[in-house]
């Protein structure tokens, strides 16, 4: 028949039912897997797609003097920041996942690779153009810095414009067209309160991208590059905070979901006294190339350390211009060099140590009389005094007072280079690092072993010893080393490690690290012999080579020094003497040790002496009256070669 009843086998219904049940079970299992078993994972993915993490920069810890005077702090900078990862994400959404690409050549060591990367510069320009037209400012991008920043630290904001003035800030706030990923930020930036003041000690900070190696996400935006800023960067760095912002599908912020405040870095407390430092800096500026150190002889604390020419660390904030950097690097007077910890021939200041070595060995006594001619012949070579007449019979006292070279030629040769070398290194701390926390020259105390290693064909003779005995030849010492040694002479024989850092404090002012004074060595010299040396140093100022240092109410004990040095300048060989004076005062109860070294001077008493006089006079006037100098912003001291003289 045409229409017979339609019948379906019962088995087919069973199969269909089983398939429905299986499908339902599969769906339930999948739902359980997504919502229960891996629910948190998918929630986190969704969260990542709808939130943005914003890094908040911490304030860097302050650098303070011994009395709490801030030398390096932070100030607020209003910046325009690019959040590069957010700009790329928004661009991708607007262009259906298509991103512009560019071939970038990168060097890793000796290996060069070419890779196709996101053209971050094109993306940034795409968003800047309407803002540029609206505000009327040209688009200026450091493309190399932008690409480097995106490759290394895409989650760290890239500062496009810093230190916005009020007009630009208000215009941008009103007319930035609401571009996601371009924001105004208030950022703490380093500020050096007194400009070039103590610049070689404080140092400066710089961009992370300039540091060797590859920066990683989450590391600071800037790091210490020089001075205590560099050495104590870990303590000065704070902990970054952050904000979690919820954004909608168009990329606009809807609300803040989380906030972690940044934590300020720890503060560094120096032994420097800003008042003393200011006095020293002002006195030193009369010279084109010089250094000075002021220390407390009873603790080894560095109260002041200055070097000229100098630089302004604020020029490095937020980054130094190429022109200024080239000027600093190419300046022949080397303003970036800290001369206070650089090694120079000490000249006759070394005679104090030779005197001590001779007295310890018993080569001479304070009353030993030596005939001192104008010329003393050593190994067939004439060695001259600084006068052209015979001084006759003199003792140690007078030899120090008039700085007689021929006296110390004889004393040095009789004492022997081994004794001089051992006392200089083993007791006085010369020829080795002082323990100063910043980079320093260790200097050199030559001996036969050094000569053999340096000049294998040369043989040590008494002529070498004679040269060493007056601080010439290969002898090298820094102003800091000589000041530390003079501290031991002043306090009766204790050589301290020079101390620059007193301690580290947290944000509440509580001390977390304390740096105590430390004894380096004890001078192995009899009190009577040390007293004889000290009396000779008093006579140097009273009636010897440093009468320019005399003060009306304070007795000063010290020693001058002038070392020969030649160098080429503008193609010509010139004399560029190193002139010294170091001392302690008052003689009866020493309070200050001062050491000044001037490049291109005339003589220790003529060039360095008057500078020390002015420093001591200002210090004792301040101590007596209680009136401290007013600290002002210092522009960099400019270097020159005015003290050199050409050979004829």
């Amino acid at each position: 028949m045409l229409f017979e009843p339609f019948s379906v086998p019962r088995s087919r219904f069973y199969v269909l039912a089983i398939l429905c049940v299986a499908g339902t079970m599969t769906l339930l299992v999948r739902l359980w897997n997504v919502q229960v078993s891996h629910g948190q994972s998918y929630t986190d993915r969704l969260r990542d797609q709808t939130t943005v993490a914003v890094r908040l920069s911490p304030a860097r810890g302050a650098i303070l003097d011994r009395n709490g005077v801030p030398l390096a702090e932070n100030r607020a900078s209003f910046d325009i920041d690019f959040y590069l990862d957010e700009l790329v994400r928004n661009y991708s959404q607007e262009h259906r996942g298509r991103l512009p690409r560019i071939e970038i050549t990168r060097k890793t060591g000796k290996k060069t690779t070419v890779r196709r990367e996101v053209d971050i510069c094109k993306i940034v320009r795409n968003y800047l153009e309407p803002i540029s037209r609206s505000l009327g400012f040209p688009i200026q991008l450091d493309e190399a810095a932008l690409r480097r920043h995106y490759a290394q630290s895409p989650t760290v904001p890239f500062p496009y414009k810093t230190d916005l003035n009020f007009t630009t800030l208000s215009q941008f706030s009103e007319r930035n067209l609401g571009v996601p990923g371009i924001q105004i930020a208030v950022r703490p930036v380093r500020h050096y309160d007194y400009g070039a003041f103590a610049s070689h000690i404080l140092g400066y900070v710089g961009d992370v991208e300039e540091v060797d190696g590859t920066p990683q996400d989450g590391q600071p935006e800037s790091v210490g590059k020089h001075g205590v800023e560099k050495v104590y960067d870990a303590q000065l760095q704070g902990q970054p905070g952050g904000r979690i912002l919820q954004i909608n599908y168009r990329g606009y912020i809807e609300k803040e979901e989380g906030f972690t405040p940044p934590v300020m870095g720890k503060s560094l407390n120096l032994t420097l006294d800003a008042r003393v430092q200011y006095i020293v800096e002002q006195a030193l500026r009369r010279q084109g190339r010089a250094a000075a150190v002021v220390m407390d002889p009873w603790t080894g604390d560095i109260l002041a350390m200055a070097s000229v020419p100098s630089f302004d660390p604020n020029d490095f904030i937020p980054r130094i211009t190429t022109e200024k950097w080239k000027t600093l690097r190419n300046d022949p007077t080397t303003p970036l060099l800290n001369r206070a910890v650089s090694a120079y021939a000490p000249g006759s200041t070394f005679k104090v140590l030779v005197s001590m070595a001779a007295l310890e060995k018993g080569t001479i006594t304070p009353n030993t009389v030596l005939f001192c001619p104008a010329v003393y012949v050593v190994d067939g070579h004439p060695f001259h005094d600084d006068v052209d007449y015979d001084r006759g019979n003199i003792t140690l006292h007078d030899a120090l007072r008039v700085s007689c070279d021929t006296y110390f030629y004889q004393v040095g040769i009789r004492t022997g280079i081994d004794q001089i070398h051992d006392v200089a290194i083993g007791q006085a701390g010369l020829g080795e690092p002082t323990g100063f926390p910043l980079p320093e020259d260790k200097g050199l105390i030559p001996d036969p072993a050094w000569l053999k290693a340096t000049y294998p064909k040369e043989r040590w003779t008494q002529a070498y010893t004679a040269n060493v005995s007056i601080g010439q030849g290969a002898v090298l010492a820094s102003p800091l080393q000589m000041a530390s040694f003079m501290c031991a002479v002043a306090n009766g024989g204790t050589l301290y490690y020079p101390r620059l850092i007193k301690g580290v404090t947290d944000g509440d002012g509580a001390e977390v690290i304390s740096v105590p004074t430390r004894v380096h060595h004890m001078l192995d010299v009899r009190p009577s012999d040390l007293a004889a040396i000290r009396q000779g140093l008093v006579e140097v100022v009273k009636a010897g080579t440093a009468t320019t240092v005399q003060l009306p109410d304070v007795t000063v004990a010290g020693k001058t020094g002038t070392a020969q040095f030649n160098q080429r300048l503008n193609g010509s060989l010139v004399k560029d003497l190193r002139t010294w004076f170091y001392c302690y005062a008052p003689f009866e109860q020493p309070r200050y040790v001062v050491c000044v070294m001037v490049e291109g001077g005339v003589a220790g008493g003529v060039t360095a002496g008057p500078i020390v006089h002015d420093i001591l006079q200002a210090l004792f006037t301040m101590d007596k009256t209680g009136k401290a100098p007013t600290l002002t912003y210092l522009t960099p001291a400019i270097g020159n070669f005015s003290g050199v003289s050409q050979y004829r």
Side-chain angles (χ1 to χ4, degrees), residues 216-235:
Q216 302 296 323
D217 289 350
Q219 74 176 56
E221 295 177 32
S222 63
V223 294
K225 304 296 292 295
H226 189 271
V228 296
E229 291 277 30
K230 178 179 180 179
V231 174
Y232 294 92
D233 185 69
Q235 289 78 17

Side-chain angles (χ1 to χ4, degrees), residues 98 103 109 111 176 226 256 486 489 496 519 592 641 644:
R98 293 190 299 270
E103 288 189 350
K111 185 179 180 181
N176 70 347
H226 189 271
E256 181 178 273
M486 183 56 76
V489 174
Y496 289 98
V519 174
Y592 299 108
F641 290 94
V644 304

Side-chain angles (χ1 to χ4, degrees), residues 385-511:
D385 197 359
D386 62 345
V387 295
D388 58 2
Y389 55 86
D390 295 345
R391 295 187 188 270
N393 294 321
I394 62 174
T395 62
L396 175 63
H397 176 277
D398 288 327
L400 287 171
R401 177 176 61 84
V402 299
S403 197
C404 178
D405 288 343
T406 53
Y407 180 94
F408 285 97
Y409 294 145
Q410 298 176 69
V411 169
I413 290 171
R414 292 184 183 186
T415 303
I417 190 59
D418 291 340
Q419 169 72 358
I420 295 172
H421 181 272
D422 291 348
V423 171
I425 291 182
Q427 296 181 40
L430 305 181
E432 62 180 10
T434 64
F436 186 66
L438 305 184
E440 62 172 330
D441 288 344
K442 70 175 185 178
L444 175 64
I445 305 298
D447 67 348
W450 166 84
L451 185 68
K452 184 176 181 180
T454 309
Y455 303 102
K457 296 182 179 180
E458 294 289 327
R459 181 179 60 86
W460 190 274
T461 64
Q462 290 186 341
Y464 279 107
T465 303
N467 250 342
V468 168
S469 300
I470 62 167
Q472 294 268 190
V475 181
L476 295 172
S478 70
L480 176 60
Q481 288 175 322
M482 298 305 290
S484 297
F485 171 58
M486 183 56 76
C487 284
V489 174
N491 66 34
T494 304
L495 181 75
Y496 289 98
Y497 285 99
R499 188 172 70 145
L500 177 65
I501 309 299
K502 285 184 64 179
V504 179
T505 55
D506 61 19
D508 297 325
E511 189 174 63

